Amino acid sequence: MDTARKKQLLEEYKNRKPEMGVISVRCIMTGEAFLGISKDTKTDFNSTRCKLATSWHPNKRLQELWNQYGEKSFEFLVLKVLKYEDPAADHTDELEALCEQCLAADKGARRIWR
């Protein structure tokens, strides 16, 4: 790959706008939901699946459910998407506010990460 192409790909990566929002991992068998904020939903879903599959997820209850029921008993959803312009800006406060709204709407849900 030539240098110009490498620079182009790097620039595209820096300027990408990943989907940010509130994500949910729900156990279909029990109805338990685990919510969290995400600055890149696709990456976080992949990371969560990988951690659960290797029994390395820090949320012990979620890991127990995964071990008991298996991957097919879970749904991964984006509950709310954050609309934003500047990908370099810190959107943590806005994401936390969205997450609080989702937690208030679903009293049985809890945070996936503490």
Side-chain angles (χ1 to χ4, degrees), residues 55-94:
S55 295
W56 278 94
H57 200 280
N59 187 310
K60 300 300 180 204
R61 178 63 182 154
L62 178 56
Q63 186 68 62
E64 288 171 7
L65 293 169
W66 183 274
N67 293 344
Q68 183 175 358
Y69 297 111
E71 181 175 3
K72 292 183 181 181
S73 295
F74 285 83
E75 59 183 8
F76 291 75
L77 303 168
V78 178
L79 299 180
K80 292 210 180 227
V81 175
L82 178 69
K83 292 178 176 26
Y84 66 97
E85 291 301 318
D86 183 6
D90 184 12
H91 299 286
T92 304
D93 292 340
E94 297 161 278

Side-chain angles (χ1 to χ4, degrees), residues 39-62:
K39 294 184 179 180
D40 187 338
T41 59
K42 290 181 176 98
T43 299
D44 284 339
F45 282 147
N46 186 44
S47 173
T48 299
R49 276 190 180 96
C50 183
K51 287 175 185 174
L52 288 166
T54 57
S55 295
W56 278 94
H57 200 280
N59 187 310
K60 300 300 180 204
R61 178 63 182 154
L62 178 56

Side-chain angles (χ1 to χ4, degrees), residues 5-60:
R5 178 70 178 141
K6 284 181 184 178
K7 284 184 180 181
Q8 177 192 3
L9 290 173
L10 182 60
E11 194 63 31
E12 287 174 11
Y13 177 78
K14 286 180 182 177
N15 293 323
R16 72 186 180 97
K17 282 181 62 176
E19 182 180 67
M20 292 188 197
V22 178
I23 59 172
S24 169
V25 179
R26 181 177 298 272
C27 178
I28 298 165
M29 303 302 282
T30 65
E32 292 177 70
F34 301 87
L35 310 183
I37 64 170
S38 175
K39 294 184 179 180
D40 187 338
T41 59
K42 290 181 176 98
T43 299
D44 284 339
F45 282 147
N46 186 44
S47 173
T48 299
R49 276 190 180 96
C50 183
K51 287 175 185 174
L52 288 166
T54 57
S55 295
W56 278 94
H57 200 280
N59 187 310
K60 300 300 180 204

